[in-house]
Amino acid sequence: MSNNKIILEGCIKTFKETNELEFTDSEIFEIFSLTQIHKDRNITYENIISSIVDRGNDGGIDSMMVFIDEEFVENIDDLENFNFSNKTNSRFIITQCKKENSFKEGPIDKLITTIPILLDLEKTETALLSRFNSDLVEQTLLLIEVWKKTAISGGSICLDYIYTTNASEIIVNDIFNQKVDQLLDLSSGCLSTSDIRFFKYSSKELLELYQKQKSNRLSIEFKDRPLTTEFDNYGIGYIGTVKLANYKQFLKAENGDIRDDLFESNIRHFQGLVDVNRKIKNTIENKTEEDFWWLNNGITIIAEEPKEVGKKLSIENIQIVNGLQTSYSIFNNHNEDQNDNRSVLVKVIINSNKETTDNIIASTNSQNPVSPTLLRATEPIQRNLELFFLNEGYYYDRRKNYYKNLGKPSTKIFSIQLTAQAIGAIVFDDPHTARSRPTSLLKTENTYNKIFDSNKNFRGYLNCCLINQKAHNFWLKYENPVIRTKTSNFKLHLSCLIVKELYNKRNINFEEISNINLDNVNIDLFNQSIELLCLHIDQYLYINQNSNLINIAKSKDFTDYLFEQLTIKYESLSSLA
């Protein structure tokens, strides 16, 4: 065994222990590889797990991801949050992770067979389900929808293939390369784009990625020494102007892309060439006698650990909370000409208090119309839930990737959306909506306020998250591949059903959920629940023969049918007692 492989095995072992993962070696390798390869992307552990589709009948695909302008897309419901235009860039990433000692032609052969079928727009959902598992089909339907919307709007499409093994190094022969070329040509014909790439990762490359740390400290050079101002003992601020070229350098990552992670706490992503951004672009590209900062509101940055040396300010844990549109416009349109003496106004607030940060984000964005959904993370109940989870040894991720960036175990991190899905499914008996339209749980005031109620016992929120997590982990280890494949779209139904089976009754109130002894949510209860769920799926499909697994997982009719059968069962048990 080479040194690279020996060291990588140790790194994977540390990764497994740190994140408290309980999967097979091949599954751990897959999660580890995807985490390292996408380290610089703004995605979560939940995103990585949701992208994995290798559950049998996977066509040789282990993971499929969809990005719009480098923003991870979880499901079709998310697409209404994106504005498609001729500036839209949609990226599809298909990955194969094999814990094998060499790169083989077999996985490429499978893709050569699979891709023309998956990317055939004439194939129906039912036709795809007859050949591939429902996880892969659902991800494919998302990819196709993004592909069509991007193409219609005149945007650009790119496809990346990734093949990773734990071979000591990348060694392939000419036949392998010829098959890769065949795959690329085939894919180019399907998608009508030439922007298709193939990447290989061995132990050597994975080790390099693992050792590469995301820089948390950056320096920004002001035009003149920034004005420093203090506010009692609460914090310190720096105010000054930064040349446009220097600000663009501040935003640039090693690979030349913009540092998207700097904007994780900003409530918006880049809106493309909307009217305001078109005006900023024109201002940047056409010099006048007016300085840029005279015409622009500037940038607000929250950071920690400042070190000032002359005109340079070095800071850590940087978040640009206001000025994302300006930042992207400068990055996309300025030519980095140091002779351009125009500048942008930059405010740097040194603060580590989360509540103060929330207030700054809300205040600095109040001049623009903002959907209440975008500011959910700043609300008191969200902060209080975060504190409760912390006190219980878990992490409520109000801000995407906040705890991931702090190195906390991924299995103890729960996002707002995942929590809302668990509550919607388990408490409100609505697994189909939580499954099919998860973002809708946070969008409407009535639904949001019903789910996030400060009068409810916070223990119930944590219990729902943990029950949902245990159900998913049990499902991953379930030995019957037929039942596991059949129920892959019904994990939220399973979480709901487990609680009902535990109490042997149809209606469960929130206090009962709050008082559940989680030790009773065990493998026996899970096996009992998944077999019962599978039975009713089969019965429903027999009665409704035009339905398919993906459709009924999103169907209220199926949920109602399931609960009717449970009511009959529990009433029968009650009469026998």
Side-chain angles (χ1 to χ4, degrees):
M1 185 181 290
S2 72
N3 287 341
N4 283 340
K5 289 186 67 174
I6 292 171
I7 296 171
L8 186 68
E9 288 294 332
C11 294
I12 294 174
K13 182 174 182 291
T14 299
F15 174 82
K16 176 182 178 180
E17 292 171 351
T18 299
N19 290 287
E20 302 179 8
L21 301 176
E22 296 181 0
F23 299 115
T24 64
D25 288 347
S26 60
E27 289 168 336
I28 295 291
F29 178 75
E30 181 175 15
I31 296 169
F32 174 86
S33 298
L34 290 169
T35 301
Q36 303 315 310
I37 291 167
H38 300 293
K39 179 180 285 185
D40 289 333
R41 295 184 183 276
N42 185 25
I43 61 175
T44 66
Y45 173 77
E46 292 169 13
N47 297 152
I48 288 173
I49 294 299
S50 70
S51 79
I52 295 174
V53 296
D54 59 341
R55 308 294 179 207
N57 297 327
D58 55 33
I61 296 173
D62 293 333
S63 165
M64 182 183 288
M65 294 183 179
V66 175
F67 294 86
I68 300 174
D69 293 328
E70 298 306 321
E71 184 96 358
F72 183 87
V73 187
E74 294 190 43
N75 50 64
I76 288 178
D77 186 39
D78 277 349
L79 296 186
E80 62 187 62
N81 299 324
F82 294 91
N83 294 318
F84 289 84
S85 71
N86 60 359
K87 292 295 183 180
T88 298
N89 176 262
S90 295
R91 182 182 302 277
F92 311 133
I93 302 178
I94 293 174
T95 304
Q96 298 170 303
C97 298
K98 310 298 180 187
K99 196 172 189 299
E100 298 174 341
N101 295 325
S102 63
F103 291 85
K104 299 178 180 178
E105 298 159 25
I108 312 301
D109 291 331
K110 286 185 178 180
L111 289 178
I112 289 171
T113 302
T114 296
I115 293 303
I117 301 172
L118 286 182
L119 300 184
D120 182 352
L121 296 181
E122 294 185 354
K123 293 288 184 187
T124 65
E125 183 177 310
T126 302
L128 291 174
L129 283 168
S130 69
R131 178 154 184 173
F132 304 109
N133 71 54
S134 56
D135 287 337
L136 175 58
V137 172
E138 187 148 27
Q139 284 296 95
T140 300
L141 294 176
L142 170 61
L143 183 155
I144 288 172
E145 191 65 22
V146 173
W147 168 22
K148 291 194 292 189
K149 286 181 177 293
T150 306
I152 291 170
S153 66
S156 60
I157 295 167
C158 53
L159 170 63
D160 290 343
Y161 289 104
I162 295 174
Y163 183 12
T164 177
T165 76
N166 67 338
S168 300
E169 57 184 322
I170 297 174
I171 299 177
V172 296
N173 57 30
D174 288 342
I175 296 176
F176 181 96
N177 289 329
Q178 288 171 18
K179 291 189 174 183
V180 169
D181 290 340
Q182 182 183 353
L183 174 64
L184 297 183
D185 289 343
L186 190 66
S187 303
S188 178
C190 291
L191 285 172
S192 300
T193 178
S194 59
D195 194 356
I196 301 179
R197 303 177 296 178
F198 191 96
F199 299 93
K200 300 181 289 293
Y201 292 88
S202 68
S203 293
K204 179 176 179 291
E205 287 74 31
L206 290 174
L207 188 57
E208 289 172 353
L209 289 173
Y210 182 80
Q211 292 170 330
K212 178 184 174 184
Q213 297 299 316
K214 210 172 184 179
S215 174
N216 286 324
R217 176 169 284 277
L218 297 173
S219 293
I220 185 166
E221 183 175 354
F222 287 83
K223 202 169 183 181
D224 298 294
R225 186 165 185 170
L227 171 67
T228 305
T229 177
E230 295 183 8
F231 178 59
D232 297 333
N233 296 319
Y234 298 109
I236 186 171
Y238 298 86
I239 304 172
T241 55
V242 178
K243 287 177 66 172
L244 297 183
N246 290 341
Y247 186 66
K248 181 171 180 176
Q249 282 298 317
F250 171 72
L251 298 174
K252 186 180 289 188
E254 289 181 10
N255 63 1
D257 294 337
I258 192 168
R259 293 178 176 271
D260 199 50
D261 58 296
L262 298 181
F263 303 94
E264 287 172 8
S265 291
N266 201 288
I267 63 172
R268 282 188 179 86
H269 204 270
F270 186 52
Q271 302 297 300
L273 279 183
V274 294
D275 186 56
V276 64
N277 289 339
R278 187 177 290 107
K279 290 176 180 177
I280 296 174
K281 178 180 184 291
N282 290 337
T283 303
I284 292 167
E285 292 178 340
N286 301 295
K287 296 180 184 179
T288 66
E289 295 179 353
E290 300 165 318
D291 201 343
F292 180 83
W293 77 271
W294 298 355
L295 310 171
N296 184 274
N297 290 332
I299 313 295
T300 301
I301 297 173
I302 294 176
E304 299 174 15
E305 301 293 328
K307 292 182 181 177
E308 185 183 4
V309 180
K311 298 178 184 178
K312 285 190 176 182
L313 180 67
S314 173
I315 44 182
E316 285 187 357
N317 297 330
I318 302 154
Q319 282 298 299
I320 298 172
V321 298
N322 185 252
L324 180 146
Q325 308 303 319
T326 297
S327 297
Y328 267 78
S329 296
I330 292 172
F331 188 87
N332 291 335
N333 301 297
H334 195 266
N335 59 10
E336 299 185 67
D337 179 9
Q338 286 289 342
N339 293 321
D340 183 355
N341 209 32
R342 293 175 300 165
S343 56
V344 61
L345 179 67
V346 176
K347 298 183 293 184
V348 180
I349 301 168
I350 305 302
N351 174 71
S352 58
N353 182 287
K354 295 189 187 73
E355 187 169 351
T356 301
T357 300
D358 291 339
N359 291 334
I360 293 169
I361 292 170
S363 297
T364 54
N365 284 280
S366 62
Q367 71 272 22
N368 298 316
V370 177
S371 165
T373 305
L374 297 173
L375 291 172
R376 296 302 188 196
T378 69
E379 295 178 359
I381 187 172
Q382 301 298 337
R383 291 199 296 265
N384 290 336
L385 278 169
E386 180 182 29
L387 185 58
F388 178 85
F389 275 52
L390 277 172
N391 290 338
E392 297 297 318
Y394 295 91
Y395 307 96
Y396 187 70
D397 209 35
R398 293 188 302 119
R399 295 286 167 69
K400 187 176 180 180
N401 282 331
Y402 178 79
Y403 289 106
K404 172 189 171 184
N405 293 338
L406 291 179
K408 301 302 181 184
S410 56
T411 52
K412 289 191 172 183
I413 300 173
F414 301 101
S415 67
I416 293 179
Q417 182 162 297
L418 185 72
T419 303
Q421 286 179 278
I423 296 292
I426 297 172
V427 177
F428 295 106
D429 290 346
D430 196 4
H432 51 280
T433 301
R435 167 74 179 79
S436 63
R437 293 182 284 115
T439 56
S440 69
L441 301 177
L442 302 174
K443 285 180 181 177
T444 62
E445 286 295 325
N446 288 340
T447 306
Y448 174 80
N449 291 330
K450 182 174 74 169
I451 290 175
F452 291 103
D453 182 352
S454 58
N455 294 317
K456 284 187 168 69
N457 186 336
F458 282 2
R459 172 72 58 185
Y461 288 89
L462 178 57
N463 280 354
C464 283
C465 288
L466 294 174
I467 291 166
N468 191 47
Q469 183 184 68
K470 290 186 82 169
H472 186 240
N473 289 340
F474 285 142
W475 180 86
L476 287 171
K477 298 175 184 177
Y478 194 70
E479 293 182 355
N480 187 321
V482 175
I483 291 181
R484 191 173 66 185
T485 298
K486 186 172 295 182
T487 56
S488 65
N489 284 279
F490 296 83
K491 300 185 193 75
L492 287 165
H493 293 75
L494 262 176
S495 299
C496 178
L497 184 54
I498 282 170
V499 175
K500 297 185 187 306
E501 284 292 283
L502 178 64
Y503 281 103
N504 272 325
K505 62 179 186 175
R506 160 73 175 81
N507 296 308
I508 315 294
N509 64 47
F510 199 85
E511 278 307 307
E512 288 174 315
I513 293 170
S514 301
N515 293 326
I516 285 177
N517 181 346
L518 292 172
D519 290 338
N520 293 330
V521 181
N522 52 36
I523 188 63
D524 292 334
L525 179 63
F526 174 81
N527 289 339
Q528 171 185 324
S529 301
I530 195 171
E531 289 169 11
L532 183 62
L533 175 62
C534 194
L535 170 67
H536 292 310
I537 290 173
D538 287 340
Q539 290 176 345
Y540 188 86
L541 286 173
Y542 180 77
I543 298 169
N544 301 272
Q545 296 188 9
N546 291 326
S547 299
N548 63 52
L549 289 170
I550 291 179
N551 287 338
I552 69 171
K554 301 175 181 179
S555 162
K556 183 177 184 299
D557 288 343
F558 171 73
T559 301
D560 290 343
Y561 171 81
L562 175 63
F563 290 160
E564 286 171 8
Q565 301 307 306
L566 293 178
T567 300
I568 295 170
K569 174 187 176 182
Y570 299 140
E571 286 178 352
S572 174
L573 289 174
S574 178
S575 66
L576 293 174

